[in-house]
Amino acid sequence: SLGLGFATTQRLAAATGGSAAAQSGDEPIPDLAGGTPSGSGTPAAGTAPSAGTAPSAGTAPSAGTAPSASASSASQTLPPRPDGPVPTGLTPSLQAARADQPRTYGDGCHLSQPATTIPDCVYGDPSSSTTVALFGDSHAGQWFPALERLAAERGWRLISLTKSGCTPAQVTIWNTTFKRAYTECDQWREAVFARLRAERPALVIVASSHPYTAAETDGPGPADHGQALQTGLEQTLERLRPLAGAVTLIGDTPKFSQDPPDCLSRHLDHILACAEPRAQALDPRWTAIEAATASQAQATFVDPTAWVCPTDPCPVVIGDYLAFRDTHHLATPFAMALRQRLALELPLPGG
């Protein structure tokens, strides 16, 4: 709950396009790279989790025709929104932001911290010969809405392999909830490798939050956590390379010191009051490490900075979208609207 009084709530509803029910996501989601989506915000028939046969590894899925340099450049940034009031029709509304999660959460396909057993979560076209796998923590899960829509539009079989607070990097991390080494993360990660070995997907998309604290069995571990994570990421990408037709690493997204929905509810007429300097919200050193590590492993690196932080400071409202549902996760409609930009960066057949 945003903890708003009645008068503020009424004003908020007027400023953001009405109730949470009106922002349910049932309307078509505009594509921020241009064009009109072929579907609506609700899953297409056949996209519910289901079992499917594992295809052999093949070429990466088609992401469409590669754009010209000028077209690609034009699609990378959005014009900055001037300071002013929260836009009418903000999507999702501030009231709906708390409930805005990828459907994998409700489906039981995004694992909680204690869980280690991988559910059989298949989306898109279960009978497709092109399998795409999403692998990582909740910062991988935030890209699921975009990938699910792409899977429906392009006939992919999409498997979701995400777990809360668990980096895909091959390193044992410290869990602040359990106050010990996060062994459940290690167990789950090994189960993911086994699943991918059986699936042989055309493409594995990896993403993760940063930073994590490396751990030893008796407490918080090495002082150079960054080096431990970098080494672990190198090992993960190297292990994935023979298991898939292609591997893509998506760079991390901004983290805000203030919760964007809460902040906007306090600054309904001043959206830039909730923006945060790029140097504070992003870690360019880690982005460079991710890019170099991906290159070394012959993986594609996708840097989403220009999409999710098109200006400095990083805004929390981009166009008519609430870009972040909390301090560090993309809002579902915004992520879905970025799908064609993401598709342009994914490996093409034979690439």
Side-chain angles (χ1 to χ4, degrees):
S1 170
L2 296 174
L4 305 175
F6 178 76
T8 303
T9 302
Q10 293 297 97
R11 181 168 172 247
L12 187 64
T16 59
S19 67
Q23 300 289 337
S24 64
D26 290 339
E27 294 303 312
I29 300 295
D31 172 8
L32 294 182
T36 303
S38 62
S40 68
T42 53
T47 61
S50 60
T53 56
S56 60
T59 57
S62 171
T65 304
S68 66
S70 59
S72 177
S73 175
S75 75
Q76 296 307 303
T77 59
L78 290 171
R81 188 177 188 95
D83 197 17
V86 172
T88 300
L90 184 72
T91 305
S93 70
L94 298 183
Q95 301 101 316
R98 285 291 170 268
D100 176 65
Q101 291 181 325
R103 63 176 291 194
T104 48
Y105 285 69
D107 290 344
C109 295
H110 177 74
L111 270 60
S112 64
Q113 292 188 12
T116 58
T117 302
I118 298 175
D120 190 16
C121 295
V122 178
Y123 298 84
D125 180 358
S127 64
S128 174
S129 61
T130 299
T131 294
V132 175
L134 177 63
F135 174 26
D137 60 10
S138 62
H139 281 214
Q142 69 184 350
W143 292 105
F144 174 83
L147 292 170
E148 184 190 23
R149 180 61 69 83
L150 286 172
E153 292 173 349
R154 299 172 186 233
W156 300 344
R157 176 177 177 268
L158 175 65
I159 58 175
S160 179
L161 303 164
T162 62
K163 176 174 168 65
S164 181
C166 181
T167 175
Q170 193 168 322
V171 57
T172 300
I173 56 174
W174 182 257
N175 185 289
T176 56
T177 301
F178 300 151
K179 295 182 171 51
R180 60 168 171 78
Y182 193 6
T183 55
E184 293 86 350
C185 179
D186 295 340
Q187 294 169 27
W188 171 82
R189 191 186 305 115
E190 287 303 313
V192 169
F193 284 122
R195 172 73 179 272
L196 293 174
R197 193 173 298 112
E199 291 280 357
R200 310 294 289 181
L203 174 65
V204 176
I205 298 170
V206 183
S208 176
S209 178
H210 175 77
Y212 279 100
T213 300
E216 295 172 333
T217 56
D218 57 351
D224 191 354
H225 303 300
Q227 182 58 56
L229 285 170
Q230 180 180 352
T231 300
L233 182 60
E234 291 170 356
Q235 293 174 349
T236 288
L237 295 182
E238 288 294 339
R239 287 186 69 178
L240 289 174
R241 185 164 58 174
L243 304 182
V247 179
T248 292
L249 175 66
I250 304 179
D252 201 9
T253 46
K255 295 178 175 66
F256 293 84
S257 59
Q258 300 184 84
D259 181 75
D262 279 344
C263 181
L264 288 170
S265 73
R266 297 192 303 270
H267 300 281
L268 293 173
D269 296 317
H270 186 30
I271 59 173
L272 289 188
C274 304
E276 200 142 307
R278 241 185 210 166
Q280 184 173 318
L282 290 162
D283 184 350
R285 177 180 171 274
W286 181 250
T287 300
I289 288 172
E290 288 181 308
T293 302
S295 177
Q296 178 180 319
Q298 300 177 31
T300 301
F301 179 68
V302 176
D303 182 1
T305 299
W307 312 339
V308 300
C309 180
T311 57
D312 191 0
C314 296
V316 298
V317 175
I318 298 177
D320 287 336
Y321 290 97
L322 174 64
F324 300 88
R325 61 180 167 89
D326 58 23
T327 57
H328 62 108
H329 292 102
L330 300 178
T332 294
F334 180 60
M336 196 180 299
L338 293 172
R339 68 191 181 282
Q340 299 299 349
R341 296 183 179 205
L342 178 60
L344 289 171
E345 301 294 331
L346 297 179
L348 298 172

